[in-house]
Amino acid sequence: MTTRSIKDLLQNGQLGDAVTLNGWVRTKRDQKTFSFINVNDGSTMRGIQVVAQGDAIADYDAVMKRLNTGAAVQIEGTLVESPAKGQQVEVQATGIIILGEADDTYPLQKKRHSFEFLRTIGHLRSRTNTLGAVFRVRNACAQAIHQFFQERRFLWMHTPILTASDCEGAGEMFTVTSLNLNQLPRTEDNAVDFSKDFFGKPAYLTVSGQLEAEIMAMAFTNVYTFGPTFRAENSNTSRHLAEFWMVEPEMAFCNLIGNMDLAEDFLKYVFRVVLDQCAEDMTFFNDRIDNTVLATAENIINNQFERMTYTEAVALLEKSGQSFEFPVAWGVDLQSEHERYLAEVHCKKPVIVTDYPVGIKAFYMRLNEDEKTVAAMDVLAPKVGEIIGGSQREERLEVLERRITAAGLPKEDYWWYLDLRRYGTVPHAGFGLGFERLVQFMTGMTNIRDVIPFPRTPDNIEF
Ligand code: 4AD
Ligand code: MG
């Protein structure tokens, strides 16, 4: 007899089916002559109820003694109608094998645990209802992302994790070296001699796959990359990770409008798929984490996003009458409190802010005719703020050279990037979606550390 997932049993099981299932014991309630055991295998939020009758199970008393919360079990039995409310079927056990015991030091005994505490047991927290739901939604979300781009014939490419160039030019990169840190080779002027390092020059973990995606877009027109990216920014916030996943489409023959349209279609599509595939988990988030989750999802799917320029956004913030911690003025970068005011309070839905001042955005963004702003777009979402950052790219060689120099970046390092503007340059655009910010936005989870299995943040790299 093949083992079936609990999700399959609950959805497709027929009364009378002889079944074998595996899982971990969530709870056990002993009655006089029988026990109720709730078993969960991660395939679904609700586990399945197993009824173990004293006279049906060999060595009943001894087995029940060892069968504690957290233990791994294999159950054989028959699917029967459940008299309990909230479930249609349960398993009448005929055999129970304890595959792995758990004693009463198992930290996930039946009670509410704070997310802070759960982070300290990152190796066990996936067995809780909330984290289970988060990681199922995360999975559906990743799958929907690929589906969206594949349906549109975007080429999925893999950008490197090790790189020599700083895409964002923000100097927030982790250095990768094989040098002996206790005996660093030095140049004559006492700088570290990276010519002796593995790559013969400084190397880093990538902050974004964009520059390489641009290379590929100049051959395949529409491409995307979806992978881990790294930022050594010392931001201890509920929205920043040192390692996060980013989805980055890049489109040749595309301008800022096309870029915005794609970003909006993309978010709507992913929400629709996840709502459809993870209805139970999404309802759980709505009931237990944030009671606006389902309304927000419907709102995303059914309404057009707001669009406004940075200049309009600043004017709005200035006359909002709000006292912000960071004052706003044309030219300053928007802080998360500003982003949230715009999306959450003013628009009450996502808003795409475009045409930011040239001084606060990366060197590759296309300079607008006013020479004061660039063709940038950020999608700001209620609660999480910036969820997508993108732009039309500077395709004009001379302008790009000027921008690189003005940003204080070494032009030599970008020779290949500049070559793309020498050979068959075209208007092109793309964006980066912070995958964890999307999962946060979808689930209503307040801390980004609780939507990635193993968060990396300042002073934290356990598990
Ligand atoms: O706005 P960012 O820095 O844009 C880029 O890296 C571009 N090269 C993307 C592109 O155009 N291809 O980052 C993109 C998104 C942000 O909007 C945010 O959602 C997320 O990545 N992000 C982070 N998520 C978690 N932790 C961090 N430290 C993040 N930094 C950025
Ligand atoms: Mg950004």
Side-chain angles (χ1 to χ4, degrees):
M1 194 183 343
T2 53
T3 311
R4 291 170 70 178
S5 77
I6 291 170
K7 182 175 187 166
D8 176 39
L9 291 180
L10 293 173
Q11 273 182 358
N12 310 316
Q14 301 290 322
L15 297 182
D17 280 1
V19 298
T20 305
L21 65 98
N22 295 323
W24 291 268
V25 174
R26 282 289 179 83
T27 57
K28 180 185 63 164
R29 280 184 297 132
D30 290 325
Q31 309 292 325
K32 248 205 184 95
T33 57
F34 64 97
S35 291
F36 291 119
I37 309 158
N38 182 274
V39 180
N40 193 301
D41 65 356
S43 60
T44 173
M45 164 80 56
R46 287 174 296 151
I48 197 161
Q49 172 155 290
V50 175
V51 185
Q53 297 284 357
D55 54 11
I57 304 296
D59 291 331
Y60 176 79
D61 291 330
V63 170
M64 283 308 135
K65 235 194 187 128
R66 293 167 54 228
L67 193 148
N68 298 313
T69 297
V73 290
Q74 181 169 75
I75 309 277
E76 285 191 7
T78 312
L79 217 53
V80 298
E81 203 169 332
S82 177
K85 73 173 194 297
Q87 58 194 12
Q88 252 136 36
V89 292
E90 61 186 30
V91 175
Q92 194 73 50
T94 51
I96 297 179
I97 300 171
I98 298 182
L99 299 168
E101 289 184 32
D103 65 17
D104 59 10
T105 62
Y106 180 62
L108 294 173
Q109 299 299 331
K110 193 180 169 157
K111 70 177 186 113
R112 277 234 177 194
H113 302 284
S114 71
F115 291 124
E116 287 76 14
F117 168 71
L118 292 178
R119 270 173 236 143
T120 69
I121 50 166
H123 58 310
L124 299 171
R125 68 173 184 166
S126 306
R127 301 187 201 175
T128 61
N129 280 343
T130 307
L131 277 292
V134 166
F135 298 136
R136 279 187 298 271
V137 166
R138 189 181 161 107
N139 167 68
C141 212
Q143 191 270 129
I145 286 167
H146 283 296
Q147 198 176 304
F148 175 84
F149 288 117
Q150 293 296 325
E151 273 178 13
R152 282 162 186 72
R153 300 277 182 271
F154 278 57
L155 183 102
W156 178 23
M157 59 162 304
H158 303 104
T159 44
I161 286 169
L162 298 176
T163 178
S165 46
D166 182 357
C167 171
E168 293 305 297
E172 290 172 337
M173 302 198 291
F174 287 100
T175 302
V176 176
T177 182
S178 60
L179 292 174
N180 177 351
L181 296 182
N182 294 314
Q183 249 178 330
L184 287 172
R186 299 278 173 182
T187 60
E188 272 170 16
D189 46 5
N190 206 32
V192 175
D193 185 0
F194 282 103
S195 71
K196 304 260 168 29
D197 202 350
F198 191 91
F199 296 105
K201 60 176 179 175
Y204 311 95
L205 293 178
T206 189
V207 296
S208 159
Q210 178 195 323
L211 303 189
E212 289 89 359
E214 284 186 58
I215 294 179
M216 296 293 270
M218 293 304 123
F220 298 95
T221 306
N222 292 329
V223 304
Y224 72 106
T225 176
F226 184 3
T229 51
F230 308 85
R231 306 258 167 123
E233 53 186 331
N234 202 354
S235 309
N236 239 318
T237 78
S238 59
R239 309 176 317 127
H240 287 89
L241 291 164
E243 176 181 282
F244 64 98
W245 285 64
M246 187 152 46
V247 184
E248 296 181 272
E250 191 68 34
M251 293 88 68
F253 316 104
C254 181
N255 61 15
L256 194 66
I257 307 284
N259 205 20
M260 287 193 277
D261 290 345
L262 186 86
E264 184 166 343
D265 286 350
F266 169 61
L267 287 174
K268 288 182 151 70
Y269 183 99
V270 173
F271 265 91
R272 217 179 290 124
V273 172
V274 171
L275 262 195
D276 182 50
Q277 292 189 358
C278 298
E280 185 187 38
D281 292 325
M282 292 299 285
T283 303
F284 171 86
F285 289 119
N286 199 69
D287 293 346
R288 307 290 281 272
I289 302 293
D290 174 347
N291 63 12
T292 63
V293 158
L294 291 179
T296 300
E298 293 296 337
N299 185 3
I300 299 287
I301 293 169
N302 297 319
N303 292 294
Q304 274 200 327
F305 294 5
E306 214 62 60
R307 296 183 185 192
M308 64 175 77
T309 65
Y310 167 90
T311 303
E312 290 165 344
V314 168
L316 250 165
L317 290 164
E318 280 173 337
K319 61 169 200 239
S320 68
Q322 301 276 311
S323 61
F324 294 114
E325 186 187 341
F326 297 92
V328 268
W330 200 97
V332 305
D333 206 357
L334 297 183
Q335 299 294 325
S336 108
E337 55 176 343
H338 309 134
E339 296 175 344
R340 290 186 53 176
Y341 174 83
L342 292 170
E344 215 166 298
V345 183
H346 184 81
C347 300
K348 298 188 172 61
K349 58 180 169 177
V351 50
I352 311 183
V353 178
T354 61
D355 305 291
Y356 284 74
V358 60
I360 57 170
K361 287 290 184 187
F363 68 92
Y364 53 72
M365 298 192 180
R366 192 179 197 281
L367 195 61
N368 285 331
E369 255 164 43
D370 61 13
E371 305 232 334
K372 291 193 186 71
T373 58
V374 288
M377 56 156 236
D378 278 3
V379 180
L380 313 179
K383 304 219 166 96
V384 287
E386 181 189 336
I387 186 167
I388 284 179
S391 72
Q392 185 170 338
R393 319 306 189 187
E394 185 54 74
E395 85 284 12
R396 298 162 296 185
L397 179 64
E398 324 77 70
V399 185
L400 184 59
E401 283 180 324
R402 246 197 297 135
R403 296 290 310 284
I404 289 179
T405 307
L409 298 168
K411 219 167 77 177
E412 322 76 76
D413 289 3
Y414 295 89
W415 65 271
W416 48 269
Y417 191 65
L418 290 163
D419 257 6
L420 299 177
R421 280 69 183 168
R422 288 192 182 93
Y423 308 121
T425 192
V426 293
H428 62 291
F431 63 79
L433 164 88
F435 184 55
E436 285 75 19
R437 296 228 181 132
L438 174 65
V439 179
Q440 239 191 311
F441 181 39
M442 249 176 199
T443 58
M445 295 295 288
T446 51
N447 198 310
I448 198 166
R449 293 158 210 225
D450 301 325
V451 298
I452 185 166
F454 308 104
R456 274 79 180 92
T457 51
D459 294 323
N460 171 31
I461 191 160
E462 196 70 48
F463 313 111

